[in-house]
């Protein structure tokens, strides 16, 4: 009995001894799990990068594989730096990147021609809010274009690259692809007789007075800038009621910042054109367009200023020329001005002086020789008109 009790005592002692000695090991493993990723401490001086990666892998206890694109020299001191931060510090200055798999880290240049690219890259679609895909690619630094595919006119890009490069391209999208503001363009196109244009104060050489008391601004070469469009339109409406002016159009257009807008009031006229020989003539109808066309590109500067690139054209059919073909009178202006949002810009000087001579005669008598002149008369009329354009750009909030 004493011997059996002694055996039990020995077994008990051994059990508790094993438990006691095992506890620090269990505690150590538990603490290792709680402590997070391994910390790297080392000093590298002009060391080959592949050897540096091998030293880090040995200290971390994690395999680090590098493809054939990885080469270079590293000088760096690491003092209890987490593994992935240490990899960033070693690789970033030389332009390399890495990906983490389940069992190891893979290091490469990350370019499309690197051996490990297919194992490092993934494909994502990144939507664009304002820019077209081909426009965005033109803004990218040349290095990143190899990872991006774009279809002209589409509002998304497809990126195939390592995660780090995808993140950088996404950051570029956020930086440059912000929605552009829009500009509302209110326009009034008016045809005023030359004399009434003077009375209105429209003397582009600098006269700023007239019986209608409109005060023009300083832009004497193209007109002026007004703070209140309503006042001008009211005066023009008054002249129109008196038959001294005609408002040809009053369009409103919304244009995106930097894009081209076009306003047009066109009349199409048809003319018969005869070709061929007298024995076999061929007649066809040709179309001639005439009227008012205004092309404008607004560019927003700062908070409340707009640079307007303007290209107005006014055309009229003024008569017939050789073989009764139509004669077209065209007046164009190209200018770029800066105005504040809500101000009204005046474009004038698109003046037209048309002189028409009409001959009338008494039938038969007007064709008699010598005395036929007594039965014929000529009348010359002069039509002096000025096309005035009032443009008010306003930035939409």
């Amino acid at each position: 009995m004493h011997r059996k009790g002694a055996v039990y005592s020995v077994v008990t002692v051994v059990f508790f001894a094993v438990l006691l000695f095992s506890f620090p090991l269990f505690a150590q493993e538990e603490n290792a799990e709680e402590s997070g990723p391994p910390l790297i401490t080392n000093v590298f001086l002009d060391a080959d990068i592949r050897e540096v990666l091998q030293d880090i892998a040995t200290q971390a206890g994690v395999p680090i594989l590098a493809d054939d694109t990885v080469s270079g020299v590293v000088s760096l001191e690491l003092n209890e730096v987490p593994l992935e931060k240490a990899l960033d510090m070693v690789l970033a200055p030389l332009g390399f990147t890495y990906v983490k798999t389940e069992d190891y880290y893979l290091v490469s240049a990350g370019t499309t021609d690197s051996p490990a690219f297919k194992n490092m890259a993934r494909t994502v679609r990144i939507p664009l809010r304002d820019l077209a895909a081909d426009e965005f690619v033109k803004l990218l630094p040349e290095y990143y274009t190899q990872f991006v595919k774009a279809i002209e006119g589409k509002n998304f890009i497809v990126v195939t690259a390592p995660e780090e490069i995808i993140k950088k391209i996404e950051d570029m999208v956020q930086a440059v692809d912000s929605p552009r503001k829009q500009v509302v363009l209110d326009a009034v196109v008016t045809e005023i007789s030359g004399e009434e244009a003077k009375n209105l104060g429209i003397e582009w050489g600098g006269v700023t007075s007239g019986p209608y008391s409109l005060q023009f601004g300083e832009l004497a070469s193209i007109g002026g800038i007004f703070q209140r469009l309503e006042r001008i339109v009211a005066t023009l409406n008054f002249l129109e009621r008196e038959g001294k002016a005609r408002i040809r159009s009053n369009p409103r257009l919304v244009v995106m910042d930097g894009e081209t807008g076009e306003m047009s009031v066109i009349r199409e006229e048809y003319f018969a054109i005869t070709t061929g020989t007298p024995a076999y003539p061929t007649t066809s109808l040709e179309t001639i367009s005439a009227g008012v066309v205004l092309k404008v590109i607004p560019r927003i500067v700062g908070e409340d200023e707009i640079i307007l690139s303007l290209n107005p054209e006014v055309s009229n059919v003024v008569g017939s020329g050789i073989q009764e073909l139509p004669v077209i009178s065209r007046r164009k202006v190209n200018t770029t001005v800066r105005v504040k949002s809500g101000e009204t810009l005046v474009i004038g000087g698109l003046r037209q002086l048309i002189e028409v001579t009409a001959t009338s005669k008494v039938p038969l008598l007007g064709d008699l020789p010598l005395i036929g002149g007594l039965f014929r008369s000529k009348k010359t009329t002069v039509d002096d008109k000025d096309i005035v354009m009032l443009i008010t750009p306003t930035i939409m909030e």
Side-chain angles (χ1 to χ4, degrees), residues 23-92:
F23 179 77
L25 180 60
F26 294 148
Q28 190 174 19
E29 292 178 354
E30 184 177 351
N31 290 335
E33 293 178 357
E34 293 178 355
S35 62
L39 301 179
I40 308 301
T41 299
N42 212 326
V43 177
F44 305 103
L45 182 61
D46 294 335
D48 183 271
I49 187 172
R50 304 179 79 90
E51 295 179 1
V52 171
L53 294 174
Q54 184 59 49
D55 289 347
I56 293 176
T58 301
Q59 189 171 352
V62 179
I64 300 177
L65 308 179
D67 71 6
D68 293 341
T69 62
V70 180
S71 63
V73 176
V74 176
S75 295
L76 180 65
E77 180 178 352
L78 301 174
N79 185 17
E80 295 188 352
V81 178
L83 172 60
E84 294 191 356
K85 183 177 180 181
L87 289 175
D88 288 334
M89 295 172 68
V90 170
L91 301 176

Side-chain angles (χ1 to χ4, degrees), residues 39-179:
L39 301 179
I40 308 301
T41 299
N42 212 326
V43 177
F44 305 103
L45 182 61
D46 294 335
D48 183 271
I49 187 172
R50 304 179 79 90
E51 295 179 1
V52 171
L53 294 174
Q54 184 59 49
D55 289 347
I56 293 176
T58 301
Q59 189 171 352
V62 179
I64 300 177
L65 308 179
D67 71 6
D68 293 341
T69 62
V70 180
S71 63
V73 176
V74 176
S75 295
L76 180 65
E77 180 178 352
L78 301 174
N79 185 17
E80 295 188 352
V81 178
L83 172 60
E84 294 191 356
K85 183 177 180 181
L87 289 175
D88 288 334
M89 295 172 68
V90 170
L91 301 176
L94 296 176
F96 300 118
T97 186
Y98 69 89
V99 294
K100 179 182 179 182
T101 67
E102 185 176 351
D103 301 317
Y104 61 91
Y105 286 85
L106 180 59
V107 178
S108 170
T111 55
T112 55
D113 58 350
S114 60
F117 180 77
K118 63 181 180 180
N119 297 316
M120 302 184 70
R122 70 183 183 95
T123 300
V124 298
R125 170 174 164 160
I126 302 177
L128 301 172
R129 294 177 294 178
D130 182 67
L131 291 174
D134 52 326
E135 293 176 333
F136 175 77
V137 172
K138 293 177 183 178
L139 300 176
L140 282 174
E142 184 177 356
Y143 171 77
Y144 292 99
T145 57
Q146 63 182 308
F147 306 106
V148 179
K149 299 294 183 183
I151 301 175
E152 184 176 355
K154 297 297 182 180
N155 64 336
F156 67 87
I157 56 173
V158 176
V159 180
T160 302
E163 192 65 37
E164 179 182 352
I165 293 176
I166 291 176
K167 180 64 170 61
K168 290 182 178 179
I169 294 176
E170 288 176 336
D171 291 342
M172 294 178 197
V173 170
Q174 292 295 323
V176 303
D177 187 40
S178 57

Side-chain angles (χ1 to χ4, degrees), residues 3 6 8 15 54 56 68 70 108 110 116 121 131 216 238 253 268 299 305 344 362 366-367:
R3 185 176 180 182
Y8 287 147
F15 173 77
Q54 184 59 49
I56 293 176
D68 293 341
V70 180
S108 170
L131 291 174
F216 281 68
F238 172 75
L253 187 65
E268 293 186 345
R299 293 183 177 87
E305 288 191 327
T344 297
V362 177
D367 296 325

Side-chain angles (χ1 to χ4, degrees), residues 380-391:
T380 301
T381 60
V382 177
D383 189 6
D384 184 10
K385 293 180 180 179
D386 202 338
I387 299 295
V388 179
M389 296 184 180
L390 311 174
I391 303 168

Side-chain angles (χ1 to χ4, degrees), residues 250-307:
N250 185 14
R252 166 176 279 204
L253 187 65
V254 178
V255 184
M256 192 172 290
D257 179 26
E259 299 296 330
T260 301
E262 181 175 324
M263 307 175 186
S264 61
V265 181
I266 297 296
R267 182 183 63 186
E268 293 186 345
E269 297 189 18
Y270 294 88
F271 295 86
I273 307 296
T274 302
T275 58
T277 64
Y280 300 98
T282 301
T283 302
S284 61
L285 289 178
E286 297 290 337
T287 303
I288 299 243
S289 298
V292 178
V293 177
L294 173 62
K295 294 181 180 179
V296 57
I297 302 175
R299 293 183 177 87
I300 298 174
V301 181
E303 294 297 326
D304 64 345
E305 288 191 327
I306 304 169
I307 293 178

